[in-house]
């Protein structure tokens, strides 16, 4: 498996050959490159970096390698230990640190791990800075510190609690209103750090919690991507427990999905839609999501007299456009909520708290709330890449084939038809082509996806 170096960080599978996988040598190499870049970028004599990890089996190994590499560069480390991506993101500015690294491969299976790199704002690096780090890694242009100038480690395990406090202190979060409803919620945290922080947040909001896969041991009981086909256990348990709804997070807690009280998916795309509906009802403004996200957010934004815009896929792209348009909420249709009132990062805790507060002020069940939104259906598919597949040629051919339709090539190729759309792009996180379609029925979305996949295979000769 080739190492994937992209806007989303540096990730790969554990083991194997150096340069082909995320081996210990590669972890040290890219941590060295990040630390070396940070010295130039910050122009400071003494630097501090915040480090946290999810509960992957490989986490402690990669964590120790990265921490000690930074120390070898003379950089001080604030070690959060087991944490979440949004927790590290808020810790960086709160600690007045110069950067941060989250050790997680997000939704990827257990054999994967990654280094997600942050700047001094606790935000993901842009493409230019990422490219500079890759150049430093390629050249191995590292200069380590002498024995009298090594960095130090300061352990701080308080930040998950601090993160919860910051969320509960948001003006649009009303824990008292939620507590009065006496909700019962099932949580599936895929045996990672969400199994600690999500139940604790819910309990502090007066919610009865039923835990499913909340032991942070890194043994994922199912594919950790929060898609319908992976979530049969929680759908069954929500019905068995007669719960008000279910909460699902990925291993690093930046993607959020809900299960309705009827045991059906609320819809990963509709996590952002529901939270935006609430936020816009209180603070009118603009919204942003990426090009692979549902049209429903545009519809809800228009209902509240705001303006919606779509960015290229990738959290940093969403954040850049949110800042440019002064968006009050944004994110990605994969269940990522970005609420600038707290920070510019996808944050499942923010999503849970906003959703609960909104629900507490509605005389509706979760299933009834879902029915109030525009009904769109998505089909998310992929084609595994091989060295013989020329992605650029495929995208060029599809652009030519549908040149009479409304097309965007900001990120791959998005073809907007009157009643549906398709987005084709090479993944930033896996060796695949993603094929997302959306229509007004699941049958139409699936049929469009099958048609496009067949056309791609014909072009690619596979």
């Amino acid at each position: 498996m080739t190492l994937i170096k992209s806007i989303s960080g540096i990730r790969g599978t554990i083991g194997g050959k150096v340069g082909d996988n995320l081996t210990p040598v590669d972890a040290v190499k890219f941590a060295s490159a990040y630390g070396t870049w940070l010295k130039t970028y910050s122009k400071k004599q003494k630097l501090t970096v915040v480090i946290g990890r999810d509960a992957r089996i490989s986490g402690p190994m990669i964590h120790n390698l990265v921490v000690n590499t930074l120390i070898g560069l003379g950089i001080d480390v604030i070690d959060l230990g087991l944490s979440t991506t949004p927790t590290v993101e808020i810790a960086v500015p709160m600690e007045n640190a110069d950067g941060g690294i989250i050790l997680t491969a997000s939704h990827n299976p257990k054999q994967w791990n990654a280094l997600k790199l942050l700047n001094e704002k606790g935000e993901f690096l842009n493409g230019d800075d990422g490219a500079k780090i890759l150049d430093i890694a390629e050249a191995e242009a590292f200069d380590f510190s002498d024995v009298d100038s090594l960095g130090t480690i300061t352990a701080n395990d308080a930040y998950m609690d601090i993160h919860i406090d910051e969320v509960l202190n948001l003006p649009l979060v009303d824990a008292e209103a939620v507590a009065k409803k006496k909700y019962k919620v099932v949580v599936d945290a895929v045996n990672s750090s969400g199994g600690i922080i999500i139940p604790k947040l819910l309990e502090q909001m007066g919610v009865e919690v039923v835990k499913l896969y909340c032991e942070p041991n890194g043994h994922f009981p199912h594919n950790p991507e929060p898609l319908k086909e992976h979530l049969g256990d929680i759908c069954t348990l929500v019905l068995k427990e007669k719960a008000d709804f279910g909460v699902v997070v990925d291993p690093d807690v930046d993607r959020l999905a809900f299960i309705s009280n009827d045991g059906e998916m609320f819809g990963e795309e509709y996590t952002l839609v529901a939270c935006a509906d609430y936020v816009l009802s209180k603070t009118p403004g603009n919204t942003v999501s990426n090009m692979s996200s549902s049209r429903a957010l545009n519809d809800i934004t228009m209902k509240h007299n705001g303006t919606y815009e779509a960015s290229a896929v990738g959290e940093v792209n969403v954040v850049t456009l949110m800042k440019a348009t002064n968006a009050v909420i944004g994110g990605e249709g994969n269940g990522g909520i970005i609420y600038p009132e707290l920070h510019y990062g996808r944050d499942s805790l923010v999503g849970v708290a906003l959703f609960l507060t909104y629900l507490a002020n509605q005389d509706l069940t979760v299933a009834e709330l879902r029915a109030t939104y525009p009904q769109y259906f998505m089909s998310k598919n992929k084609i595994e890449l091989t060295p013989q597949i020329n992605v650029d040629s495929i995208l060029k051919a599809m652009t030519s084939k549908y040149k009479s339709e409304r097309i965007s090539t900001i990120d791959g190729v998005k073809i907007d038809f009157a009643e549906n759309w398709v987005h084709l792009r090479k993944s930033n996180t896996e060796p695949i082509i993603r094929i997302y379609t959306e229509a007004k029925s699941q049958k139409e979305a699936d049929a469009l996806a099958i048609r496009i996949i067949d056309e791609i295979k014909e072009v690619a000769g596979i």
Side-chain angles (χ1 to χ4, degrees):
M1 181 65 68
T2 302
L3 272 176
I4 298 174
K5 309 160 190 174
S6 74
I7 201 168
S8 298
I10 300 148
R11 70 178 66 197
T13 49
I14 298 298
K17 295 181 179 180
V18 173
D20 287 343
N21 305 71
L22 187 59
T23 68
V25 173
D26 293 293
V28 170
K29 179 178 178 178
F30 288 108
S32 300
Y34 171 72
T36 300
W37 167 82
L38 197 61
K39 287 182 176 183
T40 302
Y41 172 80
S42 67
K43 298 181 174 63
K44 290 170 63 175
Q45 289 297 314
K46 193 62 177 174
L47 304 180
T48 302
V49 171
V50 177
I51 304 285
R53 65 174 178 88
D54 69 12
R56 289 170 189 275
I57 298 167
S58 63
M61 176 188 72
I62 299 295
H63 177 266
N64 287 330
L65 290 164
V66 170
V67 167
N68 285 293
T69 298
L70 295 177
I71 290 170
L73 287 164
I75 296 172
D76 292 339
V77 171
I78 297 174
D79 183 6
L80 306 191
L82 193 62
S83 192
T84 78
T85 287
T87 304
V88 176
E89 289 172 341
I90 68 165
V92 170
M94 291 183 78
E95 289 290 331
N96 197 29
D98 302 288
I101 303 178
I102 310 116
L103 304 170
T104 174
S106 194
H107 62 275
N108 290 90
K110 69 177 183 179
Q111 63 266 34
W112 290 78
N113 213 327
L115 282 68
K116 289 186 175 182
L117 310 176
L118 306 177
N119 62 20
E120 78 284 1
K121 297 176 183 177
E123 299 170 12
F124 286 118
L125 306 186
N126 61 38
D128 289 343
D129 290 333
K132 291 174 184 175
I133 291 170
L134 295 180
D135 288 342
I136 294 169
E138 185 67 25
E140 297 188 357
F142 320 131
D143 186 9
F144 293 95
S145 296
D146 61 41
V147 70
D148 294 316
S149 304
L150 298 176
T152 62
I153 305 174
T154 303
N156 188 336
D157 62 1
Y159 262 97
M160 283 208 272
D161 289 327
I162 292 170
H163 187 175
I164 290 171
D165 290 342
E166 291 293 308
V167 170
L168 293 177
N169 286 334
L170 290 168
L172 293 192
V173 172
D174 190 343
E176 290 185 10
V178 172
K180 290 176 183 176
K181 291 290 187 175
K182 301 186 183 301
Y183 289 125
K184 184 179 186 180
V185 173
V186 180
V187 177
D188 177 355
V190 73
N191 285 343
S192 192
S193 47
I196 300 171
I197 198 167
I198 296 295
K200 190 174 285 191
L201 169 68
L202 290 170
E203 287 162 358
Q204 290 191 33
M205 297 185 77
V207 174
E208 179 185 350
V209 178
V210 178
K211 296 180 182 180
L212 174 68
Y213 309 137
C214 286
E215 182 66 32
N217 57 29
H219 292 282
F220 304 153
H222 56 76
N223 187 304
E225 189 165 12
L227 302 178
K228 181 178 181 179
E229 56 265 32
H230 307 148
L231 301 177
D233 289 353
I234 188 172
C235 291
T236 299
L237 191 56
V238 165
L239 289 174
K240 180 182 176 181
E241 291 286 342
K242 295 182 172 58
D244 293 285
F245 64 100
V247 170
V248 182
V249 293
D250 67 339
D252 68 325
V253 200
D254 64 358
R255 288 178 61 172
L256 172 65
F258 297 122
I259 310 299
S260 297
N261 53 293
D262 58 3
E264 297 294 324
M265 291 288 293
F266 187 79
E268 195 181 22
E269 294 287 330
Y270 285 81
T271 302
L272 175 57
V273 172
C275 291
D277 193 18
Y278 172 51
V279 170
L280 291 170
S281 72
K282 301 295 184 181
T283 53
N286 303 323
T287 65
V288 170
S289 65
N290 68 40
M291 296 177 67
S292 287
S293 301
S294 175
R295 285 179 176 175
L297 181 60
N298 179 54
D299 295 351
I300 291 298
T301 306
M302 290 177 63
K303 182 186 82 170
H304 292 286
N305 299 312
T307 299
Y308 165 80
E309 291 195 37
S311 76
V313 174
E315 184 172 321
V316 66
N317 296 318
V318 176
V319 167
T320 298
L321 190 55
M322 287 181 69
K323 290 179 178 179
T325 59
N326 294 313
V328 295
I329 190 170
E332 300 184 282
N334 60 14
I337 306 297
I338 301 174
Y339 187 47
E341 185 74 18
L342 182 57
H343 69 117
Y344 276 105
R346 295 184 304 180
D347 191 328
S348 294
L349 277 74
V350 168
V352 166
L354 291 174
F355 184 81
L356 272 166
T357 302
Y358 190 34
L359 188 66
N361 287 285
Q362 306 288 314
D363 190 22
L364 298 170
T365 65
V366 171
E368 290 167 343
L369 177 63
R370 174 64 176 82
T372 67
Y373 293 125
Q375 300 300 299
Y376 294 106
F377 298 82
M378 294 192 77
S379 181
K380 298 184 179 183
N381 299 275
K382 58 189 177 184
I383 296 176
E384 300 286 341
L385 291 178
T386 66
Q388 292 74 37
I389 296 177
N390 187 319
V391 178
D392 292 336
S393 294
I394 290 170
L395 298 181
K396 185 176 180 180
M398 298 301 288
T399 301
S400 177
K401 182 178 178 67
Y402 290 102
K403 60 185 178 184
S404 61
E405 304 293 342
R406 189 154 56 99
I407 289 180
S408 171
T409 55
I410 293 172
D411 183 8
V413 177
K414 184 171 185 181
I415 307 165
D416 267 298
F417 303 101
E419 296 295 321
N420 47 47
W421 57 260
V422 58
H423 189 196
L424 315 172
R425 59 181 295 275
K426 186 176 180 179
S427 172
N428 289 332
T429 60
E430 298 177 72
I432 59 176
I433 298 176
R434 295 192 184 276
I435 302 102
Y436 286 4
T437 61
E438 183 175 69
K440 292 187 176 179
S441 75
Q442 193 62 56
K443 183 178 179 181
E444 291 177 73
D446 291 341
L448 177 58
I450 291 169
R451 188 185 94 202
I452 295 295
I453 289 170
D454 287 344
E455 291 174 0
I456 289 174
K457 287 182 176 180
E458 183 178 352
V459 169
I462 57 176

